[in-house]
Amino acid sequence: MARLHPIYSGQSDRPAILFVHGLDGHWLETWRHDACSKDDCWPHWVGEETGCDIWSLEYDAALSGWLDQAMPLPDQGSQVMDLLASAPALKGKPLVFVTHSLGGILVKTALVYGAEEDRRFQHIVDHVLGVVFIATPHSGAQLATLARVIKYLLRINPPVGNLEHHDPHLRTLNRRYQTLVKERGIEGYVYAEKRGVKIGPRGFGGWLRRIEPTVMVVDPGSTDPSLPEIQPISLAEDHISICKPPDRQQQIHLSLCHVLKEKIIPLAGDRGMGTTGVGLKLLESGTAQENPAAHMPPGRLVGPDDNRLSPREGKVYGRKTQENDVLAFLKGSEPVKVVGGVAGVGKTEVCKAALKTWLHTSPRPVAYYVRVPDRARSADLVLQVGKAVGIENCESLAQLLGVIPVGLYYLDNLESVADDQEGRNALRDLAQKPGVRILASSRTRLDTIFGAPIEIKCLSAPDALALFRDLWPPTQTLPKDDELQAFVIGKLGGHALSLVLVARLGMCLSFDALRRRWDEEGAALACDGVEDDTRTSNLTFNLRLTAEVLAPTPGALSVWVLMALFEEGIPEAVLEEVERRGQWPTLARHRLAVHHLISKRGDRWFLPPPVARYARYAAVTEQDGFCWRKSRQPILDLFLVFAEKASSFDSSPETLKAKKWILEFFNTISIVIECELESNVQNKFWLNRMSYFLRDIYQQRIAVSPALLRKLADAGIQPANTLRSLGDLASRLGQVDKARSLYEKALGLSQQEQSGLGQANALKALGDLASRLGQVDKARSLYETALGLFQQEQHGLGQANTLHGLGDLASQLGQVDKARSLYEKALGLFQQEPNGLGQANTLKSLGALEYRLGQVDKARSLYEKAVDLYRIEQEPLGLAYSLTNLALCFEVLKNLSKRNQVLKAAFVASRDANNEIVQIYLKEAIPEMPGADVLYDSWLKGQSR
C-alpha cells in the first residue's frame, strides 16, 4: 500500500516536493548516506534550502519474491493519484517530484493516468510543475536482463519485467508522457549514473557476486527521456550512490537546489498557482479563458521564456559586450542591425540572449523569430517571413509588404539570402517598411546596405576554458589551464561550436589521444581566420572526428543526414517513422544528442546549420563515412507514400491530411530532391514519380517552386510536365508570354514523345491562357483539340476540365443554354471521378449563370453546394468567392440575418485565401449590400486586437 511520509515543513506559499524511491527502495534509506542521520539527510537539506514542504512516497517496489509482492505499474499509478488527491496537506499545492529509478516510471505512469484516464485526478496533473529523474530507465534497464538470468532465485515482479530494454510499455508511456509535457508545460531535469553498482551487501546481495562483479543498472542511452531542451547530466556515481549525497557540497545537491529555485519553483507564480486549492482557473463564469499564445502567429515570440530563446549549452559563455551591443539596438530605434561572424562562432546564441533580456525588460514588445533555410533566396525569405506572421504561401514581396505587422524580426541564418542581389533588395525593402525592424545573423557582410555589423569573434581564453571544462566528461581528466589553453586556443582557436564538439569527444577519447589526432591531422587544417564558402576548416575537421566516433553506432550517420534535411526541425513522430523504416535503433539519436549535434525544442529536433550543411554535403559526395545511397531510402519511401496520396483527386480525410503534410514539409522535399539530383547514383524512378505526384502542389508553393522545377527540367526529369508546371506558375504570376513559351515547349516535347495525354494537357493550358486574354476563338479551337485527345485517352478528368473551360467561353458570349449544358456535362464527369474541387468550381460557375438570369434562389442553392465542397476540400479561394456571391443572393432575397452570417464567413475565407484579387472582389461587392461596410469595419477592428 502506498503512503506519504512528511520529512520537512516549509513555507505555506511554496510548492511541495515529493521524493519517490526506486527499485527495492525505502522512503528514507534510498536518500540517506550512511554518514548521515535519519533526521539530517538529503531530503531535509533540500527542504531547508528551498523552503518547500518535503514528503517521501512509499510504495511497493520489491525486487525479489522474498519481499512483499509488488502490484503492476498501472495499478500503482492509479493508487498514487488517489493518495495525492486524498492528502489534505497537498490540497491545491503546486507539486514537484524528485524520482529515482523505477520511481520516475511510476510518476510518469501516474500523471498519464490522471491526465488521460480518470478525470477525478486532472487537477493534480494541472498542479505539477516539474519532475526530476535520477537514473530512471526511460527506455529499459540492464537489471531486467540480469534478473531473468537468475529468475529462479528472484521471481521477478511485474514492474521489473516492464524495465526490459525497448519494452513496448515504456515506449508507449514515453510517447504519452511527452505529449503530456507539451500540453501541460511540465518541466524536467535528468541525472544519469556513470558507474556500475559493486555487487555486495550494499548493493543487491552478496550472492550475486558469483554472477557479475558490477552491474550498470541503467545504461546512458536509457536515461534520456527525449523531452524538449533536456539533456541528461552524467554524474560519477552508481545506481545506488547517485541519490545518497554524503554532504551539501555534492554536485547533485547543488544542482538540484539550483534547478528548483531558479527554474521550477518560480513557475508556480508564473502560472497563477496559489495554495488555496483552486490554482489557475481556466474557467470563469462558465467560459474558458483563452491562452493568448494559442492564437499568436507561429513566429511570434511569446516572451523571454519562449523555448526558441533557450541557450543551446544551458548558458551563453562570454560575449557580454556583444550581447549588450545587440540589446542597445533592440532598445533603440535603428531599423536594422546585422550580427556577423564565421559559421558556428555563436552569432545566434548572442542574438537569442539579447532578445531574451529585451523581452523581459521592455513593455509589450512584439518580436518574430524567422529561421531562414540554407540556400534560401528572396522567394524563400518572403515565404518564411509570411509563415512567421501567419500567412501561408506568401507569393510575392509586394504581397508581404502589404500585410506584414509592425514589430522586430529576427532573421537567423540569413547569409544565403544576403549572397543574392534580389535577396539584398528584398531585405532593403523590408527594412524600409514603417514600423518594421530587423535583427539578422549572417556570415555574409552587408555593410554597404546596413552599415557595420556587430562582429562575433572566437571566445576568449577564460571563456573557452570554462566551456570546454563544463562539457568535458567528468570521468576523464584534463590538464591544467596553461596546457589546456594551448589546445583550446592554439588548436581550436576558441571557436565555440568546435569546442563543444571536441569536448563531447571526451566520452570516447582521452585528452591525450584527442590532442595526438589534432597534431597528426588537424594542424594542417587549422582555421586561419578566413572562412571558405561553407564553414571554417577547423570546424570541418572537428565534425569529421565526430563522424568517425559515431560511425560504429548503427544508423548514427544516416540519422544525422536525414535530420539535416529538415531545416525547420524534424517532428518526433516523423523521426520515429524514419527510424522504423531504416531499422535504426533509438541509440543512434541518443548518441547524436550526447555529442550535442542535435537538440530538441517542443516536439522537434534541430541541428545547427553548420552541422546540417556538413552532413548533407558529406553524404552526397560520400565522404567521412557518410553515404547518401545508404541513408536516403527511408525518407524517399516516406515522401513518396504521402505525395502519391496527396495527388489523389478524392476528398477523403486521408488525402486532405496528406496534402497538408506535403505542404508542411515542402522545403524538406525540395532539399531531398536536390540531394538526389546531386548524387552520383540518382534514383530516376523516384525523381520521376515524385515530380509527377507534386504537379498540383507546386502551385501552392509558388514562391519557391520555380527554382526546383528548373533543376528538374535541367536534369531531364518529367520534362514536358515540368515545363507545363513552370508555365502554370508563370501564368499565375501574370507572365503571359513566358507562360505561352513554356506551354509550347511542353507541347513540342509531348508530340516528340507521342504522348496524347501530354499534348492534351499542354493544349488545355494554352486554351486557358487564350481565354484569359479574351481570345475566344483561339481558346475554343485549343479546347476542342484538347478535348478530342482527352477522349482518345479516356481521361475523364481532363475532359471535365476542358468542358468547364468551354462552358466559360459560352458564358462570356452570352450563350446561356450552351454554357449550362457544358457545365452540367463537366459536373457529371467530375462526380464520376470523383473530384470534389472540380465539382465545387462547376457548381460555382452554374450559380453565377443562374444569378445573371435572375434565378436567385436557384443560384443560392448551387452556391451553398459549392461552399460545402470547398470546405471539405479546405480550399479558401473558391470558398471566399462562393460565400461572397451567396451573401449577394441573400441580399436580393431580403434575408439580412443570413446575409450577415455568410458575410462574416466570407471575411474569414478571404483572409485565409490571402489573395489580392479575391479581396478586391469582396470589397467591390460590399457596397451592393447596405450596412455590409459597417459589418466589415467591425470585423477588421476585431482582427487587429
Side-chain angles (χ1 to χ4, degrees), residues 37 46 49 210 434 446 450 468 559 593 613 665 727 741 770 880 889 927 931:
S37 66
V46 173
E49 297 196 24
R210 299 190 304 271
L446 293 165
F450 300 134
F468 197 86
V559 173
R613 286 194 293 267
F665 295 110
S741 175
C889 289

Side-chain angles (χ1 to χ4, degrees), residues 30-36 40-43 45-46 237 240-254:
T30 289
W31 316 103
R32 186 179 73 86
H33 191 274
D34 292 343
C36 302
D40 186 27
C41 57
W42 191 30
W45 307 338
V46 173
E237 302 289 346
I240 307 300
S241 68
I242 193 171
C243 57
K244 295 177 181 286
D247 55 56
R248 301 186 191 219
Q249 302 308 310
Q250 299 301 306
Q251 182 179 348
I252 194 167
H253 174 69
L254 296 173

Side-chain angles (χ1 to χ4, degrees), residues 93-143:
K93 277 269 194 181
L95 303 176
V96 181
F97 292 92
V98 177
T99 69
H100 176 240
S101 188
L102 181 69
I105 298 176
L106 172 64
V107 168
K108 287 164 64 175
T109 302
L111 296 181
V112 168
Y113 175 84
E116 298 180 2
E117 299 183 27
D118 197 326
R119 287 184 168 271
R120 294 176 301 162
F121 303 134
Q122 286 200 8
H123 69 287
I124 299 292
V125 182
D126 289 338
H127 278 73
V128 176
L129 299 178
V131 181
V132 177
F133 298 103
I134 304 173
T136 294
H138 298 281
S139 57
Q142 294 171 352
L143 181 59

Side-chain angles (χ1 to χ4, degrees), residues 290-297 302:
E290 293 186 345
N291 175 8
H295 300 289
M296 283 187 177
V302 298

Side-chain angles (χ1 to χ4, degrees), residues 576-845:
E576 286 182 358
E577 178 61 18
V578 170
E579 289 172 334
R580 185 189 69 79
R581 287 173 176 267
Q583 297 184 336
W584 297 316
T586 54
L587 177 62
R589 85 161 84 160
H590 289 312
R591 293 276 284 160
L592 295 176
V594 165
H595 281 269
H596 288 220
L597 295 172
I598 60 175
S599 59
K600 200 172 187 186
R601 294 201 305 268
D603 74 330
R604 295 195 177 212
W605 292 90
F606 292 84
L607 282 78
V611 175
R613 286 194 293 267
Y614 163 76
R616 290 197 299 265
Y617 178 79
V620 170
T621 56
E622 301 199 0
Q623 296 180 14
D624 304 340
F626 291 90
C627 181
W628 175 251
R629 287 174 299 153
K630 294 180 180 178
S631 304
R632 67 187 176 185
Q633 205 56 50
I635 203 69
L636 297 190
D637 292 343
L638 182 64
F639 280 145
L640 196 62
V641 168
F642 275 90
E644 182 173 12
K645 187 61 182 174
S647 70
S648 173
F649 293 117
D650 68 59
S651 303
S652 67
E654 292 77 16
T655 297
L656 296 174
K657 288 177 183 176
K659 287 179 180 177
K660 185 177 181 180
W661 195 90
I662 287 292
L663 286 169
E664 179 181 357
F665 295 110
F666 189 79
N667 181 60
T668 298
I669 292 170
S670 300
I671 294 172
V672 173
I673 291 174
E674 289 175 9
C675 287
E676 193 62 31
L677 290 172
E678 294 167 8
S679 172
N680 293 328
V681 184
Q682 295 178 2
N683 187 331
K684 289 288 183 69
F685 171 81
W686 183 86
L687 286 167
N688 279 286
R689 297 296 290 167
M690 198 70 185
S691 181
Y692 175 76
F693 291 143
L694 294 176
R695 63 194 182 279
D696 294 324
I697 299 294
Y698 293 130
Q699 309 308 310
Q700 300 179 60
R701 284 291 179 262
I702 195 169
V704 296
S705 291
L708 179 61
L709 283 165
R710 283 192 292 270
K711 291 178 181 178
L712 287 167
D714 291 342
I717 304 299
Q718 292 271 320
N721 287 333
T722 301
L723 287 170
R724 186 164 54 83
S725 293
L726 281 167
D728 292 341
L729 292 171
S731 176
R732 185 165 174 178
L733 293 171
Q735 300 166 350
V736 176
D737 292 336
K738 184 177 181 180
R740 183 185 296 110
S741 175
L742 288 162
Y743 289 146
E744 289 173 348
K745 289 178 181 178
L747 178 60
L749 283 173
S750 296
Q751 288 169 338
Q752 290 175 23
E753 297 168 0
Q754 298 184 339
S755 168
L757 187 58
Q759 293 176 60
N761 282 322
L763 288 164
K764 164 68 169 56
L766 284 165
D768 290 340
L769 204 61
S771 176
R772 211 171 124 192
L773 294 172
Q775 300 168 349
V776 176
D777 292 337
K778 185 176 181 179
R780 184 189 297 111
S781 175
L782 289 162
Y783 281 148
E784 289 174 349
T785 306
L787 182 60
L789 288 167
F790 280 129
Q791 289 169 340
Q792 289 178 25
E793 297 290 328
Q794 298 183 343
H795 195 275
L797 188 59
Q799 294 176 57
N801 282 316
T802 308
L803 287 166
H804 189 281
L806 285 165
D808 289 342
L809 290 178
S811 178
Q812 290 175 36
L813 295 172
Q815 300 169 348
V816 176
D817 291 337
K818 184 176 182 179
R820 184 186 292 112
S821 174
L822 289 163
Y823 285 146
E824 287 174 350
K825 287 179 181 178
L827 182 61
L829 287 168
F830 281 129
Q831 289 170 339
Q832 288 177 27
E833 283 300 311
N835 182 275
L837 189 56
Q839 293 175 59
N841 289 332
T842 309
L843 288 165
K844 178 167 68 71
S845 296

Side-chain angles (χ1 to χ4, degrees), residues 46-358:
V46 173
E48 291 170 2
E49 297 196 24
T50 63
C52 295
D53 290 347
I54 304 294
W55 298 78
S56 186
L57 175 67
E58 180 183 3
Y59 68 100
D60 297 327
L63 176 61
S64 76
W66 290 316
L67 302 177
D68 295 334
Q69 285 292 317
M71 70 173 69
L73 278 170
D75 293 338
Q76 289 180 335
S78 60
Q79 185 188 68
V80 167
M81 292 304 289
D82 184 67
L83 177 65
L84 298 178
S86 305
L90 296 182
K91 188 176 182 180
K93 277 269 194 181
L95 303 176
V96 181
F97 292 92
V98 177
T99 69
H100 176 240
S101 188
L102 181 69
I105 298 176
L106 172 64
V107 168
K108 287 164 64 175
T109 302
L111 296 181
V112 168
Y113 175 84
E116 298 180 2
E117 299 183 27
D118 197 326
R119 287 184 168 271
R120 294 176 301 162
F121 303 134
Q122 286 200 8
H123 69 287
I124 299 292
V125 182
D126 289 338
H127 278 73
V128 176
L129 299 178
V131 181
V132 177
F133 298 103
I134 304 173
T136 294
H138 298 281
S139 57
Q142 294 171 352
L143 181 59
T145 302
L146 175 66
R148 280 194 299 275
V149 174
I150 51 174
K151 62 183 179 180
Y152 66 94
L153 291 174
L154 291 185
R155 300 201 305 276
I156 302 171
N157 298 313
V160 182
N162 282 342
L163 290 177
E164 182 181 355
H165 194 58
H166 299 309
D167 179 67
H169 171 78
L170 289 185
R171 285 184 175 274
T172 301
L173 178 62
N174 276 347
R175 285 194 294 270
R176 295 168 73 187
Y177 184 70
Q178 289 162 9
T179 301
L180 176 65
V181 166
K182 180 181 177 181
E183 292 175 349
R184 307 297 177 102
I186 298 173
E187 290 292 314
Y189 216 73
V190 180
Y191 297 96
E193 64 203 70
K194 292 285 285 184
R195 297 175 179 169
V197 173
K198 294 180 180 179
I199 301 302
R202 188 179 71 86
F204 297 110
W207 42 271
L208 288 177
R209 186 179 286 111
R210 299 190 304 271
I211 299 173
E212 192 174 4
T214 63
V215 178
M216 176 63 76
V217 179
V218 181
D219 62 74
S222 294
T223 59
D224 187 351
S226 297
L227 294 174
E229 302 296 328
I230 296 177
Q231 297 295 337
I233 304 298
S234 296
L235 301 178
E237 302 289 346
D238 63 33
H239 194 71
I240 307 300
S241 68
I242 193 171
C243 57
K244 295 177 181 286
D247 55 56
R248 301 186 191 219
Q249 302 308 310
Q250 299 301 306
Q251 182 179 348
I252 194 167
H253 174 69
L254 296 173
S255 177
L256 178 63
C257 289
H258 171 76
V259 168
L260 291 171
K261 290 188 288 186
E262 299 298 325
K263 296 184 177 181
I264 297 181
I265 293 174
L267 293 175
D270 294 344
R271 299 179 186 175
M273 292 184 182
T275 56
T276 61
V278 294
L280 177 62
K281 292 185 178 180
L282 298 179
L283 298 177
E284 194 68 45
S285 303
T287 60
Q289 295 182 6
E290 293 186 345
N291 175 8
H295 300 289
M296 283 187 177
R300 176 79 179 269
L301 291 170
V302 298
D305 295 325
D306 192 298
N307 62 22
R308 286 168 288 191
L309 301 180
S310 299
R312 181 172 169 79
E313 304 305 333
K315 68 177 183 178
V316 179
Y317 288 79
R319 322 289 201 194
K320 206 62 188 175
T321 299
Q322 294 89 341
E323 183 183 330
N324 288 334
D325 289 342
V326 176
L327 186 58
F329 160 74
L330 293 172
K331 291 181 176 180
S333 58
E334 196 177 353
V336 183
K337 181 56 68 176
V338 176
V339 178
V342 299
V345 78
K347 303 181 294 295
T348 300
E349 294 302 305
V350 170
C351 290
K352 291 194 305 185
L355 282 164
K356 193 176 185 74
T357 302
W358 179 60

